């Protein structure tokens, strides 16, 4: 019986869309899974018994592409690390397939919000770390305050700015962590006070920066935390069992995970291959079950792809240390001169929409609308309503402000 494979493409400049492809290595039906017999259904097919049919080998082989710089959740800022941590750790909530947090989805069994929307009380479920210690509300209080601590230098600390005094603590305006609005009332109760009502706050808790770690182990291991398998503990559906740096990272099902009966995979085997051609060859030879499809392969697989959205936006930034790009009008002019629609059509055959703002298309917003529908597109360029004359005028105004000409820009770095 052949094994299904999945093909995934990484989005650039816009909302991420997962592209799935069912492949085959034999002549049997590509969508027909293997039947797994157990004593309970011996002599009876899974179809007859109504049970789900599973492949006998529940192993997923993936390409992480790159070495995770660190698996300390508060220090990670890259796609690879976040993907790994999402399997090995579990935050206080998980988002469903529609991007909505549902009660009972993560470490919080339930939560209640105050009438004015400024206080949320989470009730944690009974759950264990991979070393047998219980997951407690203090783990989350410590973690979130650690993310906000300016000494941690967490890139995504702003994800917790909705918490009262979160931004003030992170920016050094206040120095007492006890003033931050997150507190463990007891082992199973976490109370969070917000700066103001924020309907998006709970969804942000899925970000890996806010995944829990243990205070006692951070104190014990210090900077080693998250650098090797021996310096980590896990509370998610998988535990990391092998980490050969720059080569491979493997995981196995966590037997102590609270929802382990719904984890179908026994093992995830991941290699780290950057080269586009190599990883596609590994997919074609059956050595990878999931691969991110490079742009140059889109045409080859375009008739076999299905898209699934993931809330991410990719973008370039200006070097504001440069004398020209330190001027806002010049930056705006360059940004407006980019025809994002044409770029996306050329790079992805129109599969992905261009990003007209940091919040990607499809993100939920008020009154049943998406965020973009409710707030409009914030970026204008020559592909979205602006004109060449407007760009030129703005560019010239910026040059005049800094006392330069267009010719002065030749050869700038």
């Amino acid at each position: 019986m052949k094994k299904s494979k999945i093909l995934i493409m990484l989005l650039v400049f816009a909302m991420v869309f997962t592209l799935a492809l069912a492949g085959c290595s034999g002549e049997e039906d590509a969508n027909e899974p293997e039947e797994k017999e157990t004593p309970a259904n011996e002599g009876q097919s899974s179809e007859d018994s109504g049970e789900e049919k599973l492949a006998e080998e529940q192993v997923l082989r993936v390409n992480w592409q790159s070495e995770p710089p660190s698996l300390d959740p508060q220090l990670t800022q890259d796609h690879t690390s976040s993907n790994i941590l999402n399997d090995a750790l579990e935050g206080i909530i998980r988002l469903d397939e529609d991007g909505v947090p549902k009660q009972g989805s993560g470490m919080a069994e339930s939560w209640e919000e105050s009438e004015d929307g400024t206080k949320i009380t989470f009730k944690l479920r009974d759950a264990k770390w991979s070393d047998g210690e219980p997951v407690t509300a203090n783990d989350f209080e410590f973690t979130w305050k650690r993310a906000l601590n300016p000494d941690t230098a967490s890139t995504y600390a702003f994800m917790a700015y909705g918490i009262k005094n979160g931004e003030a603590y992170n920016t050094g305006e206040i120095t007492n962590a006890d003033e931050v609005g997150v507190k463990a009332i007891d082992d199973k109760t976490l109370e969070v006070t917000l700066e103001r009502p924020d309907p998006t706050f709970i969804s942000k808790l899925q970000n890996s920066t806010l995944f829990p770690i243990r205070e006692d182990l951070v104190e014990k291991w210090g900077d080693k935390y998250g650098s090797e398998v021996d310096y980590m503990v896990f509370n998610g559906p998988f535990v990391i069992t092998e980490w050969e740096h720059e080569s491979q990272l493997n995981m196995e099902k966590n037997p102590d995970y609270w929802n382990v009966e719904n984890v179908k995979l026994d093992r995830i085997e991941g290699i780290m291959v950057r080269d586009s051609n190599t990883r596609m060859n590994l997919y074609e030879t059956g050595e990878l079950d999931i691969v991110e499809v490079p742009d140059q392969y889109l045409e080859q697989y375009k008739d076999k792809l299905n898209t699934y959205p993931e809330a991410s936006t990719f973008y370039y930034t200006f070097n504001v240390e440069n004398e020209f790009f330190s001027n806002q009008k010049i930056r705006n002019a360059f940004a407006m001169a980019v025809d994002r629609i044409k770029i996306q059509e050329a790079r992805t055959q129109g599969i992905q929409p261009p990003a007209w703002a940091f919040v990607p298309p499809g993100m939920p917003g008020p009154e049943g609308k998406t965020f973009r529908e409710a707030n409009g597109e914030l970026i204008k360029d020559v592909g979205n309503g602006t004109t060449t004359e407007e760009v030129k005028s703005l560019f010239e105004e910026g040059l005049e402000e800094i006392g330069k000409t267009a010719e002065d820009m030749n050869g700038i770095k």
Side-chain angles (χ1 to χ4, degrees), residues 40-57:
N41 66 2
E42 188 172 355
Q44 179 184 21
S45 72
S46 298
E47 184 176 353
D48 293 338
S49 65
E51 294 181 6
E52 182 180 4
K53 295 189 292 184
L54 299 175
E56 189 169 333
E57 183 186 42

Side-chain angles (χ1 to χ4, degrees), residues 64 66-89 146 208 211-213 223-229 231-234 239-243 245 248-251 272:
W64 303 122
S66 60
E67 163 78 6
S70 169
L71 291 178
D72 179 330
Q74 282 72 69
L75 298 183
T76 57
Q77 57 181 333
D78 62 292
H79 190 67
T80 297
S81 301
S82 295
N83 281 342
I84 293 170
L85 290 173
N86 196 53
D87 288 332
L89 294 176
R146 180 177 184 250
S208 58
F211 285 175
I213 59 174
D223 292 341
K224 293 181 180 179
Y225 196 98
S227 64
E228 303 282 351
V229 175
Y231 300 122
M232 298 182 70
V233 290
F234 314 99
V239 298
I240 299 173
T241 54
E242 303 165 83
W243 185 2
H245 294 281
Q248 64 180 5
L249 184 146
N250 301 326
M251 295 188 248
M272 302 170 192

Side-chain angles (χ1 to χ4, degrees), residues 12-303:
V12 181
F13 295 129
M15 188 176 185
V16 171
F17 282 79
T18 298
L19 306 179
L21 166 69
C24 61
S25 57
E27 297 180 355
E28 300 181 58
D29 186 345
N31 296 315
E32 182 183 356
E34 290 186 311
E35 180 178 317
K36 182 177 180 180
E37 296 288 347
T38 65
N41 66 2
E42 188 172 355
Q44 179 184 21
S45 72
S46 298
E47 184 176 353
D48 293 338
S49 65
E51 294 181 6
E52 182 180 4
K53 295 189 292 184
L54 299 175
E56 189 169 333
E57 183 186 42
Q58 288 299 302
V59 176
L60 184 66
R61 294 163 299 178
V62 304
N63 177 27
W64 303 122
Q65 293 196 59
S66 60
E67 163 78 6
S70 169
L71 291 178
D72 179 330
Q74 282 72 69
L75 298 183
T76 57
Q77 57 181 333
D78 62 292
H79 190 67
T80 297
S81 301
S82 295
N83 281 342
I84 293 170
L85 290 173
N86 196 53
D87 288 332
L89 294 176
E90 183 157 278
I92 207 159
I93 61 102
R94 278 190 183 270
L95 302 178
D96 67 12
E97 62 272 15
D98 296 318
V100 177
K102 290 189 176 179
Q103 301 218 13
S105 60
M107 288 293 102
E109 199 164 42
S110 64
W111 62 81
E112 294 182 358
E113 299 182 50
S114 62
E115 289 188 10
D116 65 359
T118 62
K119 185 171 290 187
I120 307 172
T121 303
F122 295 94
K123 291 292 185 180
L124 272 61
R125 65 174 68 257
D126 291 331
K128 293 181 180 179
W129 291 97
S130 53
D131 64 356
E133 291 296 315
V135 178
T136 69
N138 181 72
D139 296 331
F140 286 96
E141 177 183 352
F142 169 75
T143 294
W144 296 356
K145 288 180 177 178
R146 180 177 184 250
L148 289 166
N149 189 329
D151 292 338
T152 305
S154 178
T155 302
Y156 288 96
F158 63 87
M159 297 298 293
Y161 276 9
I163 299 173
K164 185 175 181 179
N165 288 327
E167 183 174 7
Y169 181 50
N170 185 242
T171 58
E173 184 179 334
I174 64 173
T175 58
N176 185 359
D178 292 339
E179 296 181 46
V180 176
V182 55
K183 182 178 182 181
I185 304 302
D186 55 44
D187 283 350
K188 298 296 181 183
T189 307
L190 184 72
E191 183 180 271
V192 180
T193 303
L194 305 181
E195 286 281 1
R196 60 189 64 84
D198 182 358
T200 69
F201 176 76
I202 292 178
S203 296
K204 294 175 185 176
L205 302 180
Q206 171 67 15
N207 187 276
S208 58
T209 300
L210 303 177
F211 285 175
I213 59 174
R214 289 253 298 282
E215 182 176 9
D216 60 324
L217 297 182
V218 171
E219 292 177 351
K220 177 181 179 181
W221 294 330
D223 292 341
K224 293 181 180 179
Y225 196 98
S227 64
E228 303 282 351
V229 175
D230 293 340
Y231 300 122
M232 298 182 70
V233 290
F234 314 99
N235 73 321
F238 296 90
V239 298
I240 299 173
T241 54
E242 303 165 83
W243 185 2
E244 185 179 335
H245 294 281
E246 304 290 348
S247 178
Q248 64 180 5
L249 184 146
N250 301 326
M251 295 188 248
E252 294 182 1
K253 182 190 297 188
N254 181 0
D256 293 322
Y257 179 55
W258 69 272
N259 198 23
V260 65
E261 64 272 13
N262 288 316
V263 179
K264 304 303 181 184
L265 290 175
D266 293 322
R267 183 173 172 84
I268 299 173
E269 298 177 352
I271 58 175
M272 302 170 192
V273 176
R274 294 179 182 270
D275 182 74
S276 299
N277 295 325
T278 301
R279 67 177 188 248
M280 294 308 298
N281 287 335
L282 290 171
Y283 168 76
E284 290 294 346
T285 58
E287 296 174 69
L288 286 176
D289 301 315
I290 292 179
V291 64
E292 292 183 353
V293 184
D295 292 342
Q296 64 267 33
Y297 284 89
L298 287 178
E299 181 67 25
Q300 179 179 342
Y301 292 104
K302 68 177 182 179
D303 295 331

